[in-house]
Coordinates of all heavy atoms in Angstrom, one line a residue:
A1 N 228.6 -53.7 103.8 CA 229.4 -54.9 103.9 C 228.7 -56.1 103.5 O 229.2 -57.0 102.8 CB 229.9 -55.0 105.3
I2 N 227.4 -56.2 103.8 CA 226.6 -57.3 103.4 C 226.4 -57.4 101.9 O 226.6 -58.4 101.3 CB 225.2 -57.3 104.2 CG1 225.4 -57.4 105.7 CG2 224.3 -58.4 103.7 CD1 224.2 -57.1 106.5
M3 N 226.1 -56.2 101.3 CA 225.9 -56.2 99.9 C 227.2 -56.5 99.2 O 227.2 -57.2 98.1 CB 225.4 -54.8 99.5 CG 223.9 -54.6 99.9 SD 223.2 -53.0 99.2 CE 224.0 -51.8 100.3
L4 N 228.3 -56.0 99.7 CA 229.6 -56.3 99.0 C 229.9 -57.7 99.0 O 230.3 -58.3 98.0 CB 230.7 -55.5 99.8 CG 232.2 -55.7 99.2 CD1 232.3 -55.3 97.8 CD2 233.2 -55.0 100.1
A5 N 229.7 -58.4 100.2 CA 230.0 -59.9 100.2 C 229.1 -60.6 99.2 O 229.5 -61.5 98.5 CB 229.7 -60.4 101.6
F6 N 227.8 -60.2 99.1 CA 226.9 -60.8 98.2 C 227.3 -60.6 96.7 O 227.3 -61.5 95.9 CB 225.5 -60.2 98.4 CG 224.4 -61.0 97.9 CD1 224.1 -62.3 98.4 CD2 223.6 -60.5 96.9 CE1 223.0 -63.0 97.9 CE2 222.5 -61.3 96.4 CZ 222.2 -62.5 96.9
L7 N 227.8 -59.4 96.4 CA 228.1 -59.0 95.1 C 229.4 -59.7 94.6 O 229.6 -59.9 93.4 CB 228.2 -57.5 94.9 CG 226.8 -56.8 94.8 CD1 227.0 -55.3 94.9 CD2 226.1 -57.2 93.5
I8 N 230.3 -59.9 95.6 CA 231.6 -60.6 95.2 C 231.3 -62.0 94.7 O 231.9 -62.4 93.6 CB 232.5 -60.7 96.5 CG1 233.1 -59.3 96.8 CG2 233.6 -61.7 96.2 CD1 233.9 -59.3 98.1
V9 N 230.3 -62.7 95.3 CA 230.0 -64.0 94.8 C 229.2 -63.9 93.5 O 229.4 -64.8 92.6 CB 229.1 -64.8 95.8 CG1 228.8 -66.2 95.4 CG2 229.7 -64.8 97.2
I10 N 228.4 -62.9 93.3 CA 227.7 -62.7 92.0 C 228.7 -62.5 90.9 O 228.6 -63.0 89.8 CB 226.7 -61.6 92.1 CG1 225.5 -62.1 93.0 CG2 226.2 -61.2 90.7 CD1 224.4 -61.0 93.2
A11 N 229.7 -61.6 91.2 CA 230.7 -61.3 90.2 C 231.5 -62.5 89.8 O 231.8 -62.7 88.6 CB 231.7 -60.2 90.8
A12 N 231.8 -63.4 90.8 CA 232.5 -64.7 90.4 C 231.6 -65.5 89.5 O 232.1 -66.1 88.6 CB 232.8 -65.4 91.7
G13 N 230.3 -65.6 89.8 CA 229.4 -66.4 89.0 C 229.3 -65.9 87.6 O 229.3 -66.6 86.6
L14 N 229.3 -64.5 87.4 CA 229.2 -63.9 86.1 C 230.5 -64.2 85.3 O 230.5 -64.4 84.1 CB 229.0 -62.4 86.2 CG 227.6 -62.0 86.8 CD1 227.5 -60.5 86.9 CD2 226.5 -62.5 85.9
R15 N 231.7 -64.1 86.0 CA 232.9 -64.4 85.4 C 233.1 -65.8 84.9 O 233.6 -66.1 83.8 CB 234.1 -64.0 86.3 CG 234.3 -62.5 86.5 CD 234.8 -61.8 85.2 NE 236.1 -62.3 84.8 CZ 236.7 -62.0 83.7 NH1 236.0 -61.2 82.8 NH2 237.9 -62.5 83.3
Y16 N 232.7 -66.7 85.7 CA 232.8 -68.2 85.4 C 231.8 -68.6 84.3 O 232.1 -69.6 83.6 CB 232.6 -69.0 86.6 CG 233.9 -69.1 87.5 CD1 233.9 -68.6 88.8 CD2 235.1 -69.7 87.0 CE1 235.0 -68.6 89.5 CE2 236.2 -69.7 87.8 CZ 236.2 -69.2 89.1 OH 237.3 -69.2 89.9
G17 N 230.7 -67.9 84.1 CA 229.8 -68.2 83.0 C 228.6 -69.0 83.5 O 228.5 -69.6 84.5
I18 N 227.6 -69.1 82.6 CA 226.3 -69.7 82.9 C 226.4 -71.2 83.1 O 225.7 -71.7 83.9 CB 225.3 -69.3 81.8 CG1 223.9 -69.8 82.2 CG2 225.7 -70.0 80.4 CD1 222.8 -69.3 81.3
E19 N 227.3 -71.9 82.4 CA 227.4 -73.3 82.6 C 227.9 -73.6 84.0 O 227.4 -74.6 84.6 CB 228.4 -73.9 81.5 CG 228.3 -75.4 81.5 CD 229.1 -76.0 80.3 OE1 229.3 -75.3 79.3 OE2 229.5 -77.2 80.4
T20 N 228.7 -72.8 84.5 CA 229.3 -73.1 85.9 C 228.2 -72.9 86.9 O 228.0 -73.8 87.8 CB 230.4 -72.2 86.2 OG1 231.5 -72.4 85.2 CG2 231.0 -72.4 87.6
F21 N 227.5 -71.8 86.9 CA 226.5 -71.6 87.9 C 225.2 -72.4 87.7 O 224.5 -72.7 88.6 CB 226.1 -70.1 88.2 CG 225.5 -69.3 87.1 CD1 224.2 -69.5 86.8 CD2 226.2 -68.3 86.5 CE1 223.6 -68.7 85.8 CE2 225.6 -67.5 85.5 CZ 224.3 -67.7 85.2
A22 N 225.0 -72.9 86.5 CA 223.9 -73.9 86.2 C 224.2 -75.2 86.9 O 223.4 -75.9 87.5 CB 223.7 -74.0 84.7
R23 N 225.5 -75.6 86.7 CA 225.9 -76.9 87.4 C 225.9 -76.8 88.9 O 225.5 -77.7 89.6 CB 227.3 -77.3 86.9 CG 227.4 -77.7 85.4 CD 228.8 -78.0 85.0 NE 228.8 -78.5 83.6 CZ 229.9 -78.8 83.0 NH1 231.1 -78.8 83.6 NH2 229.9 -79.2 81.7
T24 N 226.3 -75.6 89.4 CA 226.2 -75.4 90.9 C 224.8 -75.5 91.4 O 224.5 -76.1 92.5 CB 226.8 -74.0 91.2 OG1 228.1 -73.9 90.7 CG2 226.9 -73.9 92.7
S25 N 223.8 -75.0 90.6 CA 222.4 -75.1 91.0 C 222.0 -76.6 91.1 O 221.2 -76.9 92.0 CB 221.5 -74.4 90.0 OG 221.4 -75.0 88.8
E26 N 222.5 -77.4 90.2 CA 222.2 -78.9 90.3 C 222.7 -79.5 91.6 O 222.1 -80.4 92.2 CB 222.8 -79.6 89.1 CG 221.9 -79.8 88.0 CD 222.5 -80.7 86.9 OE1 223.6 -80.5 86.5 OE2 221.8 -81.7 86.5
L27 N 223.9 -79.0 92.0 CA 224.4 -79.5 93.3 C 223.6 -79.1 94.5 O 223.4 -79.8 95.5 CB 225.9 -79.1 93.5 CG 226.9 -79.7 92.5 CD1 228.3 -79.0 92.7 CD2 227.0 -81.2 92.6

């Protein structure tokens, strides 16, 4: 369950693309 929750967020990051998670890192 812990790994699934973690991977759901990773999958979202991969789908939105590098520019999105790069901007999130800035925040």
Side-chain angles (χ1 to χ4, degrees):
I2 296 171
M3 288 187 285
L4 177 61
F6 198 68
L7 283 170
I8 287 172
V9 185
I10 287 179
L14 294 177
R15 286 291 298 172
Y16 281 115
I18 188 169
E19 189 171 339
T20 300
F21 63 76
R23 290 178 179 181
T24 306
S25 71
E26 262 189 311
L27 293 175

